[in-house]
Amino acid sequence: MNIYVTGAATTKFGELWGVSPRTLARQAAFGALKDASVEAERVEALFVGNMLSGMLGGQEHLGAFFAEELGLSIPAFKIEGACASGGLAVHNAAFSVLSGQYETVLVLGIEKMTDHKPEDVATALMGAGSEEERSAGATFPGLYALLARVYMKEYGTTQEQLAAVAVKNHYHASLNPNAQFCNPITVEQVMKSSKIADPLKLLDCSPISDGAAAIVISKKKKGNSVQIMASAVATDTLGLAQRKSMTELKATQEAAKKAYEQAKISPRDVHLAEVHDCFTIAEILAMEDLGFYKKGSAAGAVGKKNHLVINPSGGLKGCGHPVGATGVKQIAELVEQLRGNAGARQVKGAKIGLAQNVGGSGATAVVHILCKVR
Amino acid sequence: MQSPVKIWRNQKKIQSLIGITGKIISWTIVRVPPGGFGDQAPYPVAVIALKNGEKITAQVVDFDEKHLIFGQEVVTVVRRVTQPNTEGIIPYGIKVKPL
Amino acid sequence: MIGIVSYSTYIPHGRIRIADIARAWKKDPAEVQAGLGVIEKSVPAADEDAVTIALESAKSALSAVEGLSPESIEVLFVGSESHPYAVNPTSTIVGELLGIGNNYLAADLEFACKAGTAGMIAIAGLIAAGQAKYGMAVGSDTAQSKPHDVLEYTSAAAGAAYILGRERIIARLLADTSYSSDTPDFWRRDGIRYPSHAGRFTGEPAYFAHVMGAAKRLFDITKTEPSDFDYCVFHMPNGKFPRQVAVRLGFTKEQLAPSLIVDDIGNPYSASSMTGLAAVLDIAKPGEKIFMVSYGSGAGSDGFIFETTGSLKKQQTVRQQIEKKTYIDYVQYLKQTHKI
């Protein structure tokens, strides 16, 4: 595909009490435009990825909201797909350029979660699940815990092996100045952290965060542009109980298959992947669903020396997970890595990168593949 | 408050799911509950494969530790779902209890 | 002839020992147990209420008889003093979830602990008048009591459902009567959470006057005496009153014994005498006569004479549910009854 990410920017992720959504948007959007050396007037459409602005903040109509904030009188859209909102915004933006509708567009992923009590956030996040799951009193950790329990029984994976995912991602995050967490942690600390939804504990779970990320997608490439080789989406049942399998996310598998076909590559060709580790088990599932590891073997590969680096940014666990921002931040991270600008966390020889963004407990999956422009 | 109209529309669905047996295919214990479930936490939530071919997600009630195992036989019952607020309609829904 | 076609009960599995409640309030457990004649009582789960308990009993009562579809029920009365709504009938929530359809008369009844039996008499009347072929009367309660009040030792939870009709009768209704007066022994104002009572006034002028009043009337109109019966059942607000009234009316310990569910689960209010009757029906043989008088504060008593038929099958309903129990402590009891 001849479409390029010509600019990218991410704000700090974390509990940003004093920073408003408008400020986050300006930081990310103008940062990306500056990085792309593109004037605001050249942007033809704005795609906003966000999940909770309505349920928590009472504000919908984010296309118009942020278009005004950024001083852009252009077609603007809010795209929502739970935690895949950012990835879906990227997908829609990419195809709007590929179709010839627009030449240059801006994607903004943004979420402000810490203005509200954790219980209210947990309840709002369950909007990503099914009515039946909400009536059962399930929470997001609960849904992934249901997956974890079956996976662990099937493949003999231990809680310590899941913990290793969190440890690795915290380590990566400690090298990322924008990450929410800068402290490395140990497996022991994960195992001792308080139980949230058995068998998942506090440190198995990504945090509640504020943050934004933005990218510019254009038909025209520039010096340090990164090419989008593939952008694919797949959906599965909304509720976990209705899935065919409890040890894999079919949506990820389908989106990945389409993406590899679009890019004409195989999983072996990928050097780095930003995957959706909303919970430690999710990264394990992603490693297998994306075709990087055989079913049941991913846990054993975590933290081992590998040609494939997963979540160099720190992932959702280490970097933070402002829901709508994550999918866009994953692309921004790949861009920095493929340009060779990732500093302490640079993946050596990175030429091809993959981003996987999941909505809910696996009802939506978005996979992007990017490469250095040859 | 849950919409009374929505509660009314869901009656047939609840009625059709009462008294069906099934098996636990996974479970977790929710210790940090969402809004409206504070008085029930901690509680187990399970995925159950029902005899009628459907699979559902539901809370497990009237259980002992020993019932939280793969394959445990359960039956669907009607219970209060969320803590109703002082003025709203009380939502009743499907939970499961071990046989 | 009209009678009972099917019956069932539902007793929540939570139990609390009266001794544990007494200890929480620094009272002598032995003294409390001896004074009230109770040992332990049933406690509903936090997500149970009079609706869910009525539904469980009703569903079981329907399943206990073969070939009776929910749609055959043309009347459904639910009696309780813990209906979840002051306005919005328990009976239609139960009716809807039972799958009765729309062609039935539903109403909620309240008369303290005799709301369920009042329903039985009314339904028998509707059937006798040809207004219905089958009807169901349910008594269901998650009885409330103020912590530290004497009622805390006995207020329990259970449900009992009776399907009445003209065909496939397992116990004929030979006679019924009712004795009513305005006697303010125990009451609860609208919007107030816990009931109040008038102490010892609840004894002689209330319970005993009305139970004996209805019982004597029943003997008169049927020209019977205690020795004509195999079993007797009385409302059981505690372990002492039913035993005392049985003696005073001339019944023996043996006639009364099978009905004394109060010894195992306390007083489930509207389900008390109806569950006692179920315990008797579980073990009765065909051709046996049962004398039953309920009591509801405010006050009144409903009296019944049943005779079991050859269609009565031995069941284990009540004993099984009594034995399926899990003990909880006082803090857990307070949580489950929504006091904390």
Side-chain angles (χ1 to χ4, degrees), chain B residues 47-68:
Chain B
V47 175
I48 296 107
L50 294 177
K51 246 204 185 119
N52 67 357
E54 276 182 64
K55 286 198 286 194
I56 60 168
T57 304
Q59 225 184 89
V60 183
V61 294
D62 293 3
F63 66 98
D64 286 326
E65 283 290 320
K66 65 177 191 206
H67 293 124
L68 297 178

Side-chain angles (χ1 to χ4, degrees), chain A residues 119-120 122-123 126 130-139 141-143 145-147 149-150 153 195-200 239-246, chain B residues 2 6 10 13 17 25-37 43-48 54-60 68 70 81-82 93-95:
Chain A
E119 306 87 78
D120 295 343
T123 307
M126 277 307 290
S130 68
E131 179 83 41
E132 184 181 86
E133 289 167 343
R134 287 190 286 277
S135 294
T139 52
L143 295 178
L146 288 166
L147 288 170
R149 194 179 291 283
V150 181
K153 170 173 182 251
K195 297 189 203 176
I196 303 290
D198 302 19
L200 298 180
L240 193 49
Q242 287 70 41
R243 304 275 166 78
K244 286 229 154 57
S245 163
M246 296 275 285
Chain B
Q2 260 197 45
K6 216 169 143 190
N10 276 326
K13 178 147 182 237
L17 284 174
I25 57 182
S26 186
W27 75 96
T28 180
I29 299 182
V30 173
R31 297 183 190 272
V32 181
F37 288 84
Y43 49 85
V45 173
V47 175
I48 296 107
E54 276 182 64
K55 286 198 286 194
I56 60 168
T57 304
Q59 225 184 89
V60 183
L68 297 178
F70 293 101
V81 169
T82 26
I94 297 292
K95 301 194 181 181

Side-chain angles (χ1 to χ4, degrees), chain A residues 5-175:
Chain A
V5 181
T6 56
T10 304
T11 68
K12 175 120 179 80
F13 283 8
E15 287 176 318
L16 311 175
W17 311 111
V19 185
S20 69
R22 294 176 190 275
T23 306
L24 285 172
R26 284 198 311 273
Q27 266 177 27
F30 293 141
L33 288 174
K34 182 153 181 252
D35 185 59
S37 304
V38 157
E39 276 127 46
E41 295 75 48
R42 296 280 305 284
V43 178
E44 292 167 71
L46 171 65
F47 293 78
V48 180
N50 171 280
M51 180 193 173
L52 302 169
S53 68
M55 277 202 277
L56 290 181
Q59 178 68 58
E60 291 289 11
H61 213 173
L62 289 189
F65 182 92
F66 286 116
E68 181 182 15
E69 183 61 30
L70 300 173
L72 306 168
S73 264
I74 53 178
F77 322 89
K78 168 177 166 169
I79 305 213
E80 184 274 326
C83 323
S85 298
L88 290 177
V90 173
H91 176 79
N92 278 278
F95 280 96
S96 76
V97 171
L98 195 62
S99 69
Q101 176 76 0
Y102 304 114
E103 193 181 278
T104 301
V105 300
L106 179 63
V107 186
L108 170 67
I110 178 165
E111 205 78 54
K112 181 85 185 145
M113 299 170 81
T114 61
D115 287 353
H116 306 275
K117 292 192 306 204
E119 306 87 78
D120 295 343
V121 178
T123 307
L125 284 172
M126 277 307 290
S130 68
E131 179 83 41
E132 184 181 86
E133 289 167 343
R134 287 190 286 277
S135 294
T139 52
F140 256 89
L143 295 178
Y144 275 89
L146 288 166
L147 288 170
R149 194 179 291 283
V150 181
Y151 185 93
M152 288 162 78
K153 170 173 182 251
E154 191 89 5
Y155 300 110
T157 307
T158 63
Q159 289 188 37
E160 285 83 351
Q161 284 178 306
L162 293 186
V165 171
V167 170
K168 167 185 72 76
N169 288 344
H170 266 252
Y171 168 62
H172 289 172
S174 71
L175 306 171

Side-chain angles (χ1 to χ4, degrees), chain A residues 197-333:
Chain A
D198 302 19
L200 298 180
K201 302 161 284 302
L202 183 63
L203 291 177
D204 282 303
C205 309
S206 58
I208 287 175
S209 328
D210 304 325
I215 61 172
V216 181
I217 297 180
S218 179
K219 224 171 53 180
K220 295 202 157 80
K221 64 177 161 190
K222 290 204 165 105
N224 60 359
S225 298
V226 165
Q227 185 167 7
I228 299 177
M229 296 172 87
S231 176
V233 177
T235 53
D236 197 346
T237 64
L238 188 59
L240 193 49
Q242 287 70 41
R243 304 275 166 78
K244 286 229 154 57
S245 163
M246 296 275 285
T247 54
E248 56 196 24
L249 296 185
K250 226 164 47 90
T252 299
Q253 293 171 354
E254 273 180 36
K257 182 161 180 283
K258 284 194 278 195
Y260 290 132
E261 274 165 16
Q262 280 173 20
K264 299 192 184 26
I265 61 163
S266 80
R268 256 178 339 231
D269 301 319
V270 177
H271 300 116
L272 69 151
E274 284 283 307
V275 309
H276 198 85
D277 61 320
C278 43
F279 302 93
T280 47
I281 179 68
E283 179 161 322
I284 300 289
L285 294 176
M287 288 162 78
E288 294 173 359
D289 293 331
L290 292 168
F292 297 141
Y293 294 93
K294 277 216 272 285
K295 203 89 205 92
S297 66
V302 174
K304 304 257 174 24
K305 215 146 182 40
N306 226 309
H307 83 289
L308 167 67
V309 178
I310 299 194
N311 282 334
S313 68
L316 279 57
K317 176 70 194 80
C319 195
H321 182 34
V323 170
T326 286
V328 184
K329 160 242 156 182
Q330 289 176 330
I331 305 297
E333 175 71 11

